[in-house]
Amino acid sequence: MRRPRPISVRSWLFPVVLMGLCSILGVLQYRWIDEASRAERDRLRSGLRDALIRASTALNADLTAAVAAFLPAGRPPDRPMTPAELEQAYEDWSGTTQHDRLFSSIGLATVRGQRLALWILDPQTGQAREAEWPPAWQGIRQRLEARLDPRGHKGREFLFGPPPPEQALLFEMARSGRGPGEPGRGSWLIFELNASYLRETLLPAHLRRHLGDAFHDYQMEVAYRSDPSRVFYRNSPEPLRGAPDAALAIVDLNYDELFRRLAPPGPRGPARLRMASAEMGRFWLSARHRAGSLDAVVARTRRKNLAVTGAILLLMVAALAALILSTRRAQRLAELQMDFVTGVSHELRTPLTVIRTAAYNLRGKIAQNPAMVEKYGALIQKESERLTEIVEQVLEFARSKSDHPRRELEPVSVADAVGEAAAACQPLVDASGCRVETVIPDCLPRVLAEPRALAHAIQNLLTNAIKYGGGWARVSASTRGDWIEIRVADRGPGIPSDELPHVFEPFFRGRRAIDEQVHGTGLGLALVKSAVESFGGEVEARSRPGELTEFVLRLRAASQPAAAVEPAVRGDAA
């Protein structure tokens, strides 16, 4: 066998360049995915915060609109509000709003002598009754009294920072607008939000509206700003753990809008829309993705993208490797085919030369006596048979690779097939002086095969044994379960271990056959393998160089119906 020539540097250049390009593409793709992941994380985080800001702004707008319904429009009032007017204002508001459960109570504080009198409206009855200041309202009372004292000795006028949890749902609003209250004219409205309505209806409704389907993807938690350990609202039973993906203050009044409503007619500046920020709001809203965080979500998506990209790159590398292997295989096949063409041409040239020379001698009457004519005739016949054998091998190989229907199998006597093969090899035996032993038991079952193809396969093996067997060859057969094993052995130099896996490949010829110029096409063993596999059997080669070389044919015994036998699947002969 001629060893395949190594691939040239120019042939390696293209796959190496492709591999380099794939590596560069992989690095760039990794960086692009990383940058895209960070951009996606920032986009999701920004979108989440924008949605929360819109929800907070809409919630504050609802609260502001509800409070504004109890304030006069156009100018500050010139007298305090009466309980009857409060009842009427509540009746008008509750008849037009969809949030009639927003307030749990509404208070009206007016100046009476040296103290502040308080009326509390019950939303259930719509009636206002004078009452004592509730304990939770004492902070508001102190701030209102501070506004009435110009010197501010009785308390501070303004509350810096978020109120304590017990006052987080209380809002006071002076009906006189900005500035200190005037004795006899001042009155204040105090609104206490309904915690249940805010927690169960209003707040979730705004979050769902502005977050959409993403509302269920996030854990939402609302805690008191003055005491973050106390949770006011949560949309899942599990507490929010870890740093939130977005957070902001919520629940406050837009006082600029309310004071603008109380301003007198005339030129007014544009209303200032107070957005949700850390400076406004009684509660702190935190949102974190249920997967852990937006970083975890983006990281998971990033891993998926990297996996897909890696799979694509691996597929490209695999395709490139397959291309290289296919190219190498095609090159090796081309070399084998070229060796085959060269070998067949040489094999054909020798008998043709002999035939042409004999024919020239006969035509030129060089051979005058009958003995010489007979000798030349026998020579022409021998070389013609040799040509026929070469052509038959080529045609048989072509038929084995065609799409013809599989062989029709029938019970065949192993002894008959071996006898036919031995008879065909008799001229070679006589010429070489080789001793051929045949060991076939009389009780050996028949095998499922095609008679002519089986005899030809045994003939090919026996021919090789005679050529390379060192003067001895043996054909034997035995039963092994449901199989019949036919063995052809010789004691020649054997087959090197590196050549043994390739002996059944088409066009393959060993180094010894090439070096010693032994006649052959390299198709004999390939035809044996093709024929035996078409019978549903298998063939195996064993060799201990210098001791014994043996080919084993395993065929099914004829006890099984021929229709049940499926030919073995042959791989690519190349």
Side-chain angles (χ1 to χ4, degrees):
M1 177 188 66
R2 186 177 66 183
R3 294 185 178 274
R5 293 187 295 271
I7 301 179
S8 63
V9 176
R10 182 176 299 178
S11 301
W12 278 108
L13 183 61
F14 177 68
V16 169
V17 170
L18 283 182
M19 291 291 289
L21 291 177
C22 288
S23 301
I24 295 174
L25 179 60
V27 173
L28 292 177
Q29 190 72 5
Y30 179 84
R31 295 185 58 182
W32 292 337
I33 290 178
D34 186 62
E35 293 175 0
S37 299
R38 289 199 297 268
E40 179 67 10
R41 178 198 59 196
D42 296 340
R43 185 189 67 80
L44 291 175
R45 186 168 293 166
S46 176
L48 174 62
R49 180 169 178 80
D50 290 344
L52 295 182
I53 288 176
R54 291 194 299 270
S56 177
T57 302
L59 175 63
N60 293 344
D62 284 347
L63 300 180
T64 302
V67 171
F70 293 85
L71 300 178
R75 66 176 67 245
D78 54 1
R79 61 179 179 79
M81 187 178 192
T82 64
E85 291 174 336
L86 175 60
E87 294 174 354
Q88 184 61 44
Y90 177 77
E91 182 180 354
D92 295 339
W93 170 77
S94 61
T96 58
T97 184
Q98 59 178 345
H99 304 302
D100 55 347
R101 296 174 50 226
L102 179 61
F103 301 117
S104 61
S105 60
I106 302 175
L108 173 63
T110 59
V111 179
R112 179 186 294 174
Q114 300 298 320
R115 70 182 185 87
L116 286 172
L118 177 65
W119 281 266
I120 298 180
L121 184 142
D122 183 3
Q124 299 295 330
T125 62
Q127 300 295 319
R129 299 183 183 277
E130 189 173 4
E132 296 294 329
W133 286 83
W137 294 24
Q138 292 301 320
I140 296 178
R141 179 181 181 181
Q142 293 175 6
R143 289 196 297 273
L144 296 182
E145 290 176 347
R147 295 190 66 181
L148 294 174
D149 184 359
R151 294 171 298 177
H153 294 319
K154 294 183 179 180
R156 293 181 301 171
E157 182 176 357
F158 299 104
L159 177 66
F160 297 96
E166 60 271 11
Q167 299 181 25
L169 298 178
L170 293 174
F171 297 90
E172 73 270 14
M173 183 65 196
R175 296 186 79 247
S176 59
R178 300 178 187 269
E182 299 182 13
R185 295 181 55 189
S187 62
W188 293 265
L189 291 170
I190 303 171
F191 301 91
E192 183 176 11
L193 299 181
N194 185 341
S196 298
Y197 182 75
L198 180 63
R199 180 188 300 112
E200 299 170 4
T201 303
L202 192 58
L203 180 58
H206 282 291
L207 291 175
R208 286 191 180 93
R209 180 186 310 161
H210 293 281
L211 285 172
D213 295 336
F215 174 78
H216 300 287
D217 295 335
Y218 291 91
Q219 283 183 284
M220 304 286 178
E221 188 172 278
V222 177
Y224 293 90
R225 287 190 64 192
S226 58
D227 186 3
S229 62
R230 294 181 59 180
V231 177
F232 177 76
Y233 166 77
R234 185 183 288 148
N235 71 339
S236 64
E238 298 82 10
L240 190 148
R241 303 184 186 279
D245 295 313
L248 75 162
I250 62 170
V251 184
D252 204 351
L253 297 179
N254 191 339
Y255 288 99
D256 293 329
E257 180 67 25
L258 295 176
F259 292 144
R260 180 180 171 85
R261 177 184 177 87
L262 292 171
R268 300 178 180 180
R272 291 179 295 174
L273 181 62
R274 297 180 65 187
M275 301 298 291
S277 66
E279 288 74 28
M280 62 177 294
R282 309 294 182 89
F283 297 88
W284 192 255
L285 170 62
S286 302
R288 181 179 173 86
H289 202 279
R290 294 183 184 273
S293 66
L294 285 178
D295 290 334
V297 174
V298 173
R300 183 173 59 188
T301 304
R302 179 172 173 267
R303 286 193 296 269
K304 291 181 180 179
N305 291 335
L306 287 176
V308 172
T309 302
I312 293 175
L313 289 177
L314 286 178
L315 183 61
M316 294 175 61
V317 172
L320 179 59
L323 177 62
I324 295 175
L325 293 176
S326 177
T327 302
R328 182 61 174 161
R329 193 173 184 181
Q331 180 186 12
R332 183 171 178 271
L333 178 60
E335 292 174 357
L336 289 175
Q337 290 175 336
M338 185 59 66
D339 291 343
F340 167 74
V341 171
T342 303
V344 169
S345 299
H346 178 73
E347 292 295 322
L348 294 176
R349 181 183 301 168
T350 300
L352 285 175
T353 301
V354 172
I355 293 174
R356 183 178 61 182
T357 301
Y360 177 82
N361 291 338
L362 289 175
R363 183 180 180 186
K365 300 181 180 180
I366 296 178
Q368 297 292 333
N369 56 61
M372 291 295 296
V373 172
E374 183 180 356
K375 178 181 178 181
Y376 281 124
L379 184 62
I380 292 173
Q381 180 182 2
K382 176 183 176 182
E383 297 301 326
S384 299
E385 291 175 353
R386 184 177 170 188
L387 281 176
T388 301
E389 181 182 355
I390 295 174
V391 173
E392 284 295 332
Q393 277 196 337
V394 175
L395 293 177
E396 182 67 22
F397 177 75
R399 282 194 296 267
S400 69
K401 299 304 174 186
S402 65
D403 295 330
H404 289 298
R406 68 170 187 241
R407 303 177 188 271
E408 293 295 333
L409 307 185
E410 61 183 72
V412 178
S413 170
V414 175
D416 293 345
V418 171
E420 183 179 346
C425 295
Q426 190 60 44
L428 184 60
V429 171
D430 296 338
S432 63
C434 179
R435 182 167 59 91
V436 179
E437 297 180 0
T438 303
V439 183
I440 308 296
D442 295 336
C443 59
L444 189 70
R446 292 174 178 266
V447 297
L448 289 174
E450 197 276 323
R452 180 177 174 278
L454 177 59
H456 193 263
I458 298 175
Q459 178 186 346
N460 281 333
L461 295 178
L462 188 56
T463 300
N464 288 341
I466 294 171
K467 287 181 179 179
Y468 310 107
W472 177 87
R474 182 181 64 188
V475 181
S476 61
S478 61
T479 304
R480 187 177 295 271
D482 295 334
W483 298 84
I484 305 297
E485 290 187 348
I486 304 173
R487 302 171 183 267
V488 180
D490 65 73
R491 294 174 183 167
I495 304 172
S497 58
D498 60 326
E499 295 182 359
L500 196 60
H502 305 287
V503 294
F504 293 106
E505 295 178 2
F507 317 125
F508 179 87
R509 302 196 72 207
R511 289 187 296 272
R512 182 171 176 271
I514 296 176
D515 295 339
E516 296 181 3
Q517 296 186 354
V518 179
H519 296 296
T521 61
L523 292 177
L525 294 180
L527 292 175
V528 171
K529 180 179 176 65
S530 174
V532 172
E533 289 181 346
S534 70
F535 305 156
E538 57 186 25
V539 60
E540 179 184 1
R542 303 170 182 171
S543 181
R544 297 192 300 273
E547 297 181 17
L548 184 70
T549 299
E550 187 176 53
F551 288 84
V552 182
L553 306 184
R554 294 187 182 89
L555 302 174
R556 295 180 183 273
S559 57
Q560 299 183 17
V565 178
E566 291 292 336
V569 179
R570 295 195 303 269
D572 189 351

